[in-house]
Amino acid sequence: FILSDRIFIKYKEKMVKIMLDEILYIEAERNYSRIFTPKKQHILSITLKVIEDKLPVTLFQRVHRSYIINLKHVDEVAEQHVTIAHFSIPLGAGMRAQLLERLQTF
């Protein structure tokens, strides 16, 4: 479930709350998605495209076919990658200019 400021994911028979602000980035893994937060990783049995369609576009940006990032946590933008909390996330072709534009208005 995705609400305005949080999501709930199923984890061992429970629904666990993750605040959208805490999400660093999301990585596609075939038909699964891995959500990275500062403390933990969560695997969801949902595609990256489905998650992307439900996340608020004001906070998240797709930067590669396999990655969505939280704009709030961007530390560096290089030619071919973005750094978030010491993680290097690849930038897809032509995505750098769009990302820099989004960061200016963020």
Side-chain angles (χ1 to χ4, degrees):
F1 302 105
I2 298 180
L3 303 174
S4 62
D5 64 343
R6 68 197 77 192
I7 63 173
F8 285 91
I9 62 167
K10 189 173 181 179
Y11 178 73
K12 294 185 180 179
E13 309 294 322
K14 299 185 269 188
M15 296 301 285
V16 177
K17 175 180 73 173
I18 301 173
M19 300 301 291
L20 293 179
D21 282 353
E22 293 177 4
I23 296 173
L24 299 173
Y25 65 96
I26 305 167
E27 179 182 12
E29 228 175 80
R30 295 188 188 124
N31 289 330
Y32 294 88
S33 297
R34 186 181 302 265
I35 296 177
F36 289 82
T37 66
K39 298 177 184 176
K40 210 171 185 186
Q41 295 178 29
H42 305 275
I43 296 178
L44 306 177
S45 60
I46 190 169
T47 65
L48 194 64
K49 177 65 177 153
V50 172
I51 291 175
E52 179 183 25
D53 291 343
K54 294 182 179 187
L55 289 172
V57 294
T58 55
L59 192 58
F60 293 92
Q61 170 76 35
R62 190 166 195 153
V63 295
H64 185 274
R65 64 185 171 100
S66 299
Y67 291 90
I68 295 173
I69 63 168
N70 186 332
L71 296 170
K72 180 180 177 182
H73 295 287
V74 172
D75 294 322
E76 296 176 351
V77 179
E79 284 297 320
Q80 297 182 355
H81 73 274
V82 176
T83 303
I84 295 178
H86 305 294
F87 294 103
S88 181
I89 296 145
L91 268 173
M95 296 301 291
R96 185 174 188 270
Q98 183 182 2
L99 175 60
L100 290 173
E101 186 178 311
R102 287 284 313 276
L103 287 171
Q104 287 177 357
T105 60
F106 181 69

